[in-house]
C-alpha cells in the first residue's frame, strides 16, 4: 500500500427481508404451495426421462400422466387433450399459431382472429404477429363495456359480417380487474357461427369453475401455486392444431421437447389442491372486507369492474390523488407487494390497455392499484395494507390530515 486511503465503499442499501414481506400479488404469481413443493422435489429425485422405457422412465412417465389427470380435472376436460407447455404464454401462442397453421390446408381455413380488447399480451401480441405474417389472416378487437365485460352484441355483429372461419379469443377472467367474462353466452354464438373459441383461463383456473365449451383452453401453473415455467393448452379433439415446436413426439406430437418433470409434478399437485375452489369463499370475504374498508375510509375510491362479476381474490382500485407509481414504491418500502397494472408488467408503470378499453380516463388509470389475494393471504395482510395506504393518503392530502 502506498499510504493513500482507499475510497470509502458506498454503503449498500439494506436488503429487503423477502420472507417478511406481505405478498398481495397472486395474479402476478402465486407462491409455491407446500403440496407442489413436495411433489416437485419427489419428481426431481426420480432421475428418469418420461420417454424412456426402463423403470425410471416409467416412474417419470407416471408422474406426468398423474399430473395430466389432475390438470384435466381442474379444467373439466379430457385427460388426453392436455398438452404441457412452458406456461400460459407459450400455450396461447401454440393455440393461435397452431390453429391458423393447422387449418391452412383445410377447407375451413381460419382467416379472421377476433381478440377481446382486454386480453393479456400473450394473446394480443401473438394474434397481431400472425395477422402480420400470415397472408390472408386479419385481426380485429372486440370491444368491452365500461364494466370490463366483452360486448357480446358487438361480437355477434362482427361474426355476421364478412366471410371466412374465425378464431375468437376471450379470456375467462381478466388479470387486472378480475372481471369474469360471459363465456357460456359467447360460446353459444361462436358455435352458431361455426367459429372456434380460444379461452385464456390462466387467471380463472382454481378461482371459478371452468365450465364452458372452448376449443382451446390455456392454464398456467404459477398462477395456482405451482412452479413458474409450466402450463398447458387443452385442445379439444378435432380442433386444428399444428405444433409450434416439433421434436421427439412428446405431448402427442403437439409439443416437442423432454417434459419439465418437476414443473409438471408441481402443476398436478397445485391443480389438485385448487380444484375444490374451497378457499375462494374465504378469499372473497377478505377482498370484500378490504374494499368496504377502502370505501369507508376514502369514499371517492373507484373500484374498477365493481358492478361486474369478478374473481373473488382481485381488487383493482384508485384512490383520488394517490399515484400508482408513488404508491407502489411506498408500499414496497413498507414491506407490501402489490401491483399497479398488468401482472406481467409489475414494476413497470404504464397506461393499462384494459382500463383504456373500459374508457377509464388516463389520469384516473394512473392511480390504479391491483391487490390480489391468494391461498396464504390473511386478514392481517389486508389490515397492514390499509394502514400503509392510510399513511400514503395522508401524505397526498396533507391539509386534510392536519
Ligand atoms: N394470460 C394471462 C391472463 C395472464 O395473467 C398471464 C400472466 O400474467 C399469462 C397469460 C401468461 O402466463 P405465463 O406467465 O405462464 O406465461
Amino acid at each position: 500500500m502506498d499510504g493513500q486511503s482507499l475510497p470509502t465503499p458506498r454503503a449498500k442499501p439494506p436488503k429487503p427481508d423477502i420472507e417478511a414481506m406481505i405478498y398481495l400479488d397472486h395474479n402476478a404469481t402465486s407462491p409455491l404451495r407446500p403440496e407442489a413443493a413436495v411433489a416437485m422435489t419427489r419428481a426431481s429425485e426420480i432421475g428418469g426421462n418420461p420417454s424412456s422405457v426402463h423403470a425410471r422412465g416409467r416412474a417419470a412417465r407416471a408422474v406426468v400422466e398423474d399430473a395430466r389427470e389432475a390438470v384435466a380435472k381442474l379444467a373439466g376436460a379430457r385427460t388426453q387433450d392436455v398438452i404441457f407447455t412452458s406456461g400460459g404464454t407459450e400455450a396461447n401462442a401454440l393455440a393461435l399459431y397452431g390453429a391458423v397453421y393447422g387449418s391452412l390446408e383445410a377447407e375451413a381455413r381460419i382467416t379472421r382472429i377476433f381478440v377481446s380488447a382486454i386480453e393479456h399480451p400473450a394473446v394480443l401480441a401473438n394474434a397481431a404477429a400472425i395477422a402480420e405474417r400470415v397472408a390472408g389472416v386479419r385481426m380485429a378487437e372486440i370491444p368491452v363495456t365500461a364494466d370490463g365485460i366483452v360486448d357480446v352484441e358487438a361480437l355477434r355483429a362482427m361474426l355476421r359480417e364478412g366471410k371466412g372461419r374465425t378464431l375468437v379469443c376471450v379470456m375467462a377472467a381478466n388479470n387486472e380487474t378480475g372481471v369474469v367474462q360471459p363465456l357460456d353466452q359467447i360460446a353459444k354464438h361462436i358455435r352458431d357461427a361455426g367459429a372456434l373459441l380460444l379461452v385464456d383461463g390462466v387467471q380463472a383456473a382454481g378461482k371459478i369453475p371452468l365450465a364452458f365449451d372452448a376449443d382451446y383452453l390455456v392454464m398456467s401453473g404459477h398462477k395456482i401455486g405451482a412452479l413458474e415455467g409450466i402450463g398447458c393448452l387443452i385442445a379439444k379433439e378435432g380442433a386444428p392444431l399444428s405444433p409450434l415446436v416439433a421434436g421427439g413426439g412428446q405431448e402427442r406430437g403437439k409439443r416437442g421437447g423432454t417434459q419439465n418433470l418437476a414443473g409438471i409434478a408441481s402443476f398436478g399437485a397445485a391443480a389438485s389442491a385448487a380444484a375444490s375452489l374451497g378457499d375462494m369463499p374465504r378469499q372473497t370475504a377478505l377482498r370484500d372486507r378490504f374494499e368496504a374498508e377502502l370505501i369507508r375510509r376514502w369514499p371517492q375510491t373507484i373500484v374498477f369492474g365493481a358492478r361486474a362479476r369478478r374473481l373473488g381474490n382481485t381488487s383493482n382500485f384508485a384512490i383520488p390523488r394517490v399515484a400508482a407509481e408513488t404508491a407502489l414504491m411506498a408500499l414496497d418500502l413498507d414491506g407490501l407487494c402489490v401491483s399497479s397494472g398488468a401482472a406481467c408488467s409489475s414494476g413497470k408503470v404504464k397506461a393499462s390497455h384494459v382500463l383504456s378499453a373500459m374508457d377509464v380516463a388516463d389520469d384516473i388509470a394512473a392511480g390504479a392499484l391491483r391487490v390480489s389475494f391468494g391461498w396464504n393471504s390473511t386478514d392481517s395482510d389486508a389490515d397492514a395494507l390499509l394502514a400503509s395506504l392510510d399513511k400514503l393518503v395522508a401524505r397526498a392530502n396533507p391539509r386534510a390530515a392536519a
Side-chain angles (χ1 to χ4, degrees), residues 27-212:
N27 287 11
T29 196
S30 191
L32 198 64
R33 288 177 187 261
E35 304 89 326
V38 170
M40 165 197 126
T41 309
R42 281 201 192 129
S44 52
E45 282 164 3
I46 294 175
N49 184 324
S51 299
S52 301
V53 290
H54 50 62
R56 281 211 189 187
R58 292 198 305 276
R61 180 84 192 189
V63 168
V64 172
E65 296 316 318
D66 286 352
R68 200 185 305 281
E69 208 176 312
V71 165
K73 218 171 182 177
L74 176 65
R78 298 189 326 160
T79 306
Q80 63 267 41
D81 293 341
V82 175
I83 301 158
F84 287 117
T85 65
S86 68
T89 303
E90 186 195 322
N92 275 310
L94 172 57
L96 281 154
Y97 281 93
V100 170
Y101 284 110
S103 76
L104 277 183
E105 307 296 320
E107 215 178 291
R109 188 184 161 199
I110 294 169
T111 55
R112 310 190 299 175
I113 308 176
F114 293 168
V115 181
S116 95
I118 55 166
E119 292 300 297
H120 189 273
V123 171
L124 284 171
N126 281 303
I130 291 169
E132 212 178 286
R133 287 179 202 164
V134 185
V137 178
R138 68 175 187 87
M139 170 193 167
E141 277 192 10
I142 316 161
V144 299
T145 67
D147 291 322
I149 304 167
V150 166
D151 184 336
V152 180
E153 284 314 309
L155 169 61
R156 288 184 70 187
M158 289 167 76
L159 285 168
R160 275 195 304 266
E161 279 164 19
K163 281 198 228 103
R165 198 174 194 194
T166 311
L167 173 63
V168 177
C169 311
V170 177
M171 65 201 330
N174 183 260
N175 44 303
E176 295 187 34
T177 60
V179 171
V180 174
Q181 301 303 319
L183 278 170
D184 277 348
Q185 225 183 322
I186 290 171
K188 189 184 160 307
H189 297 310
I190 282 168
R191 294 287 156 251
D192 292 348
L196 291 158
L197 176 62
L198 161 58
V199 175
D200 179 341
V202 165
Q203 293 293 340
K207 297 177 191 145
I208 54 170
L210 300 175
F212 38 74

Side-chain angles (χ1 to χ4, degrees), residues 289-301 390:
R289 185 180 75 81
F290 171 73
E291 284 187 352
E293 199 48 38
L294 277 181
I295 305 289
R296 191 187 69 74
R297 293 182 194 202
W298 308 293
Q300 308 292 314
T301 300
D390 256 336

